[in-house]
Amino acid sequence: MSKFAPTPNDKFAFGIWGIQNRGRDPFGDATRPAVSAIDAIRGLAERGCYGFEFHDNDLWPIDATPAARDAVLRDVRKVMADTGIKATMATTNCFYHPVFKDGAFTSTDPAVRLYATQKVMRCLDVAAELGAGVYVFWGGREGVEVDVAKDPITTAGWFRDALNFLCEYVLTQGYDIKFSLEPKPNEPRGDLYLPTVGSMLAFIGTLDNPEMVGVNPETAHIKMAGLNPYHEFAQALDAGKLLDVHLNGQKPLRYDQDLSFGSDDLREAFLTIKLLKDHDYSGTIGFDAHPYRTESDPWDFVERNLRTAKILMDKVRQFNENRQIQDLLAELHGAHPELADMTKKYSSATATKLKNLELDPDHLAARRLPLERLDQLFTELLLGVL
Ligand code: GLT
Ligand code: MN
């Protein structure tokens, strides 16, 4: 049991909104009692979490007076000091209040766009004060049902202007904060803008300060689009833009389920952890999920997410050390080593050499690839019999 007990060195973090989730869905009311933000943060610390993630309005209500907000922040700083837990990621709730019903930064009303920008600035001040180094933008209302109403190039321009302005705010305040954009294909809007990691990466390249903006991919959002989380996380990592992750579970192409990590697809969960470990991802490992509606409190749910991740870390170690698997991988990757780096650097001599190289496609196609065996070894490793 204790072998898989999480410690702060694992750099696990949880969005407190998942702990505070009371089981409401579009068809039914709350099924469990409220958990205060402070109890959520303390409970995470007690279970070995390194950090917590929060929205402004997870901590203080949207209509809180500055004095009420400061009182909450005093309590937050106290629980952080008492337990050592860190605020690793902050974000703004720009989706719950009706003011955002047709978008925050992509609203047609400039006053709504400014209200969203002001809300972010105020929460950025708190994020800096609590030491959160990553600030996420999840555009829950940044989308449409009626596409004739808005030109997506115009809306992208509004979002770009807001991010450029907010980057300058962070820079001039001297905050040590990076922005991280979280893509999602749909829900709650019919279509959300910038639905995938690839769209976010392309968009970041159009900003004034692209070096201070990255991506925060989430397993469930990727699977809602029918895409492969391993590949999506990898693309962000390869671009040097993986600032934060939201791990969870999701059946493909369905409503947003936010299931526990690994509960729907252990292979994908393994591959996600393997990617983060093999490539020395140094950010926090954030979980963004919520308990089943049938749970009476969030703690079995929290513990299982952390435990699954720890067990998968151990499985990754076993995979990387397993002789049979590594021999098969070496065989798979061992073809024609003398050709492997031929196009690494261009020269006209290499171009001529390549043009004249004898490569027989029928001969190459005849190569035996032991993928069934490899996949079965992987299955047996996960099943614990290898
Ligand atoms: C919301 C959403 C998440 C985002 C959060 C950040 S809130 O619950 O489903 O994926 O990460 O705003
Ligand atoms: Mn998320």
Side-chain angles (χ1 to χ4, degrees), residues 267-279:
R267 284 165 181 266
E268 278 173 3
F270 170 92
L271 287 164
T272 304
I273 294 289
K274 184 171 187 304
L275 180 85
L276 302 181
K277 288 286 162 198
D278 285 355
H279 294 277

Side-chain angles (χ1 to χ4, degrees), residues 13-24 32 35-37 40-41 44 52-59 88-93 95 136 138 182 216 218 221 244-248 256 258 286-291 298 301-302:
F14 249 96
I16 59 169
W17 57 91
I19 319 301
Q20 295 175 300
N21 175 291
R22 296 187 58 195
R24 282 195 191 89
R32 50 184 170 262
V35 176
S36 73
I41 296 168
L44 291 174
F52 69 93
E53 306 182 348
F54 68 96
H55 296 88
D56 47 359
N57 304 138
D58 301 335
L59 297 184
T88 48
M89 181 274 249
T91 183
T92 333
N93 187 324
F95 44 87
V136 162
W138 172 64
E182 180 170 343
N216 174 43
E218 175 174 314
H221 299 175
D244 194 24
V245 297
H246 273 172
L247 305 187
N248 57 10
D256 188 5
D258 281 341
F287 297 89
D288 182 6
H290 57 69
F301 151 80
V302 167

